[in-house]
Amino acid sequence: MPLSPSEPKENQLKQFETIRRELKKIVLDQDDAIDEVVNAFSHMAFRPPKEAEPKAIFTFLGPPGVGKIYLARVLCSMLKEYKGFKHFDLECYSDPESYDQLLGPQMIGEENEEGELLRFLRATPRAIILFEAIEMASNQLQMALLDLITKEEPENGINRREVVFIFTSTLGSALYQGKEFQVTFRRSKAQAQGLIMDAIAKEKKVGDEIIQPAITPKLLATLAQNYIILFNRLGINAMVRIGTDSLEQLAQHFRDKGIGLDFPELKGLVTLLVLSLGPAISAKKVKQKLPDEVLFKIIHSLRQLSTSPARIIFKLTKKAEASLHRLVAAGDQILPQLYKNNQTVELTWKEYQRGGDLIFSLAGTETRALPRGKGLLRSERPAIEFSGIGFADIAGNRQTKTVLKQIINTLRRPELVQKFAISMPKGMLLYGPPGVGKTLLGKAFAREAGPTSMSPAPSSLTPTTSARCISRRANTRPASFSSTASTSRV
C-alpha cells in the first residue's frame, strides 16, 4: 500500500508496518536491513523538518546480488510522497570525462545543458536517487557529488530538502564470509558497521595512473555519519525460493503451450539444482541457470522423440532424497562450505517414458571437489588455456579495453608499424592493485587476439626451462604470457 504524507499520524504508523511486512515478503533474507530502512523513514515522517539538506543519506553495504538495488526501487514505489526514482550505475562514470555527463554542463545538439542528475533534480524535487557502486566513480566525481548533496547554498539553486540519496557498495564484503563478523553483527550492529567502514577506508583503486582511496575520505566520513544499512549474504532458503519461482514460471509457460510440466517434489528438486551450481552460487545465477538446466534436458530429449509427450515430470528417487537430507543438515553453512572447499554437487539423471509421460528422475548425487587449475605438466607447471572470456564479459575498465583493442588491431596488421621501421613489441605490462580485473583482461586479450594463454605464478617465471617446456606444448599457436603479479592498466 503506497504511503501518503497527508494521512493522519496513526494511519501512517500502520502503513509503515504494512510496508515493512510487504518488503519482507519480496526482498529475501534481509529482515534486519528492511527494519533499519523502514524505521529510518518512519522517524523522518514524525520528526520536525530538517534545516539542512538533504532529507536523508543511506549507504547500502553488502555482497553483490543480495537485493540492495531492488529494495531501493520497491521502497520508492511504496512511498507515495516520492514522485520519482533515478538509478545511476557509477561504473559508467569511472573516468574523469564522465563528470560532465552527470553534472554538466554539456553540449546537447547546439545547446549547453546541465548534466543528467541536475536535470532530474530540477524536474523531480521529491525523489529517491540511487548511486550504485560509489567506489567505481572517479574521485573527482565523488567530491562533486558530496558538494552537491551537502553544500548549504549550492550555486545551481537546486532544492534537495525532500530528496533521499542512496549509495551502494560491495566494498568490505570479504568480511561477511568470516564467522567472527557474523557473531559481531548479531551482538552489535554498530560495531559491525564500524568494522565495515574501517575496511572500506583501506580499499584502494587506480585513478589517473595513481593509487587512490576507493572512496574519498570526506565522502566516506559523510556516509558514516548517516544511515549505514548492512545486507546479509543470501542463504540456501532464499536461493531455493528464487529457484522455485523461476521453475514455476517455466512450468506456466509450458502449460500455456499445452504441455504439462510437473515437479512433484519441487522444493527438494530445486535445492539439489541450486547446489549443483556450486561452488560460487548467486541469486542471479540461480534465477538464470535453473530454468536453463531444466529446459536443456527437455529440449534434448524431445529431439529424440517422434511425438510430444502430454506431460513432463521431474522427480526425485529415494536415494536422491536421502542425499538431500544429508546435505541440508548443514543448514545455511552449506553454501559457504561449497565455496570454501571449491565443491559442487553432481547430479545423476535417468530418463524414461511411461504412457504419455516423459519422466526425468534424479537418481543420485555426489559432492565433488573441482580442480583448482593445476597445470598439465606433472610438476604442476602453469596450464595452457584457450580463454572463453572476451572483453564483452568484463564490466568497466573502458579505457583499458579500448587500448587493448588498439593493440590487437596492430598485432593483426603489423604493416601499420612496419612502414615506420618500428619492430613489433614482444609483450606488455598490465599494472594496478589486486582485484581490479588484470587477469580477466589478460584472458580476454588472449581470446580476442587469438594466442594461447598461460598464467604462471611469479615464482615460476624465473626458471627458463619451465617456460620452454610449456611453450613446446603450445606450438600450434603463439603463446601470450600473463603473470598473476602483473596488473590493471596499460
Side-chain angles (χ1 to χ4, degrees):
M1 178 187 295
L3 181 63
S4 171
S6 60
E7 292 284 345
K9 297 299 184 183
E10 295 80 5
N11 289 346
Q12 284 194 36
L13 279 175
K14 292 180 181 179
Q15 290 183 27
F16 274 121
E17 292 308 308
T18 300
I19 289 174
R20 190 191 307 271
R21 288 194 299 270
E22 292 301 313
L23 286 174
K24 289 182 179 181
K25 292 178 182 177
I26 58 178
V27 182
L28 305 181
D29 266 13
Q30 304 300 346
D31 287 3
D32 288 337
I34 291 169
D35 285 336
E36 296 281 348
V37 172
V38 174
N39 288 345
F41 275 91
S42 179
H43 294 164
M44 285 187 275
F46 287 90
R47 74 184 179 196
K50 288 175 61 178
E51 292 184 4
E53 304 178 34
K55 188 162 188 178
I57 300 174
F58 289 86
T59 307
F60 288 1
L61 299 175
V66 295
K68 299 187 294 292
I69 297 170
Y70 184 53
L71 174 58
R73 191 181 299 276
V74 173
L75 186 65
C76 185
S77 68
M78 292 183 174
L79 297 170
K80 198 172 183 179
E81 64 179 292
Y82 295 98
K83 306 300 182 183
F85 176 83
K86 191 70 174 177
H87 173 196
F88 293 98
D89 183 354
L90 294 184
E91 189 172 359
C92 301
Y93 302 89
S94 57
D95 55 90
E97 293 77 12
S98 62
Y99 175 94
D100 289 342
Q101 182 182 351
L102 195 62
L103 298 174
Q106 59 179 331
M107 292 298 297
I108 298 181
E110 298 182 354
E111 297 184 3
N112 196 20
E113 292 192 8
E114 291 180 318
E116 185 178 2
L117 174 58
L118 297 184
R119 295 198 305 271
F120 178 79
L121 284 171
R122 290 194 191 280
T124 318
R126 288 176 176 266
I128 294 178
I129 297 179
L130 175 71
F131 296 113
E132 179 187 355
I134 179 59
E135 69 273 14
M136 299 302 295
S138 67
N139 284 18
Q140 177 190 6
L141 179 56
Q142 289 182 14
M143 291 304 296
L145 290 174
L146 177 63
D147 187 64
L148 170 69
I149 292 171
T150 61
K151 197 170 183 179
E152 292 185 4
E153 295 181 3
E155 297 175 0
N156 51 43
I158 290 177
N159 181 359
R160 304 140 302 163
R161 192 173 298 278
E162 297 298 328
V163 179
V164 173
F165 293 96
I166 300 177
F167 296 87
T168 76
S169 177
T170 59
L171 291 179
S173 294
L175 281 177
Y176 286 80
Q177 293 278 19
K179 292 182 179 179
E180 292 183 5
F181 177 83
Q182 296 297 331
V183 172
T184 302
F185 182 82
R186 288 190 291 269
R187 184 177 64 242
S188 171
K189 292 178 184 177
Q191 187 179 356
Q193 290 174 358
L195 289 173
I196 290 288
M197 299 307 283
D198 287 343
I200 292 175
K202 298 174 184 176
E203 295 277 358
K204 305 295 181 183
K205 67 182 178 184
V206 175
D208 297 327
E209 300 189 359
I210 61 173
I211 297 178
Q212 304 174 340
I215 300 178
T216 60
K218 286 187 176 180
L219 175 58
L220 191 60
T222 299
L223 298 180
Q225 294 168 8
N226 288 273
Y227 297 105
I228 305 294
I229 310 297
L230 301 183
F231 284 69
N232 303 315
R233 288 191 178 275
L234 296 183
I236 183 64
N237 291 332
M239 295 296 187
V240 169
R241 284 182 60 183
I242 293 170
T244 299
D245 290 343
S246 298
L247 289 193
E248 286 177 342
Q249 292 175 14
L250 181 65
Q252 183 58 52
H253 180 71
F254 268 75
R255 286 193 288 271
D256 293 342
K257 299 290 185 182
I259 301 176
L261 177 58
D262 295 338
F263 306 102
E265 301 97 356
L266 179 58
K267 184 177 179 180
L269 174 69
V270 171
T271 302
L272 291 173
L273 287 171
V274 166
L275 297 178
S276 73
L277 299 177
I281 302 172
S282 66
K284 184 177 181 180
K285 191 175 182 180
V286 169
K287 190 173 183 179
Q288 293 178 348
K289 291 291 186 180
L290 251 64
D292 288 346
E293 291 286 337
V294 171
L295 192 58
F296 174 80
K297 289 189 174 299
I298 294 173
I299 292 177
H300 182 267
S301 182
L302 290 179
R303 291 173 60 187
Q304 316 299 323
L305 301 178
S306 56
T307 58
S308 296
R311 189 171 59 149
I312 301 170
I313 302 172
F314 281 77
K315 59 183 292 186
L316 302 181
T317 63
K318 299 267 185 205
K319 183 178 179 181
E321 289 179 351
S323 299
L324 173 64
H325 291 316
R326 288 195 301 270
L327 289 167
V328 299
D332 272 342
Q333 291 303 310
I334 182 63
L335 299 187
Q337 285 176 8
L338 291 178
Y339 183 79
K340 181 181 178 180
N341 299 326
N342 199 41
Q343 292 176 322
T344 188
V345 176
E346 287 193 345
L347 308 180
T348 303
W349 296 88
K350 290 184 178 179
E351 173 189 337
Y352 56 92
Q353 288 183 273
R354 179 179 295 163
D357 296 338
L358 174 62
I359 300 174
F360 295 89
S361 177
L362 207 170
T365 70
E366 180 184 359
T367 303
R368 187 173 67 88
L370 298 179
R372 295 186 180 271
K374 293 185 178 181
L376 298 181
L377 304 182
R378 290 183 181 179
S379 56
E380 297 182 4
R381 296 185 181 113
I384 300 168
E385 301 175 0
F386 294 90
S387 175
I389 299 172
F391 290 130
D393 301 313
I394 303 175
N397 289 294
R398 289 185 295 173
Q399 289 179 309
T400 304
K401 287 190 285 190
T402 298
V403 174
L404 291 176
K405 289 176 182 178
Q406 293 171 351
I407 294 172
I408 291 172
N409 185 51
T410 303
L411 291 174
R412 289 174 176 169
R413 301 176 60 195
E415 66 273 9
L416 294 175
V417 294
Q418 290 173 353
K419 67 181 180 181
F420 296 105
I422 300 174
S423 60
M424 290 292 290
K426 302 299 183 183
M428 63 182 174
L429 174 67
L430 303 179
Y431 70 92
V436 294
K438 302 181 294 296
T439 303
L440 286 177
L441 285 168
K443 291 182 177 181
F445 180 89
R447 178 184 178 185
E448 302 281 349
T452 307
S453 171
M454 289 184 285
S455 300
S459 59
S460 67
L461 293 176
T462 304
T464 55
T465 53
S466 296
R468 292 195 194 102
C469 188
I470 296 169
S471 295
R472 285 197 296 270
R473 287 182 170 265
N475 56 13
T476 55
R477 290 191 285 179
S480 168
F481 288 83
S482 64
S483 167
T484 55
S486 55
T487 63
S488 144
R489 197 150 168 157
V490 176

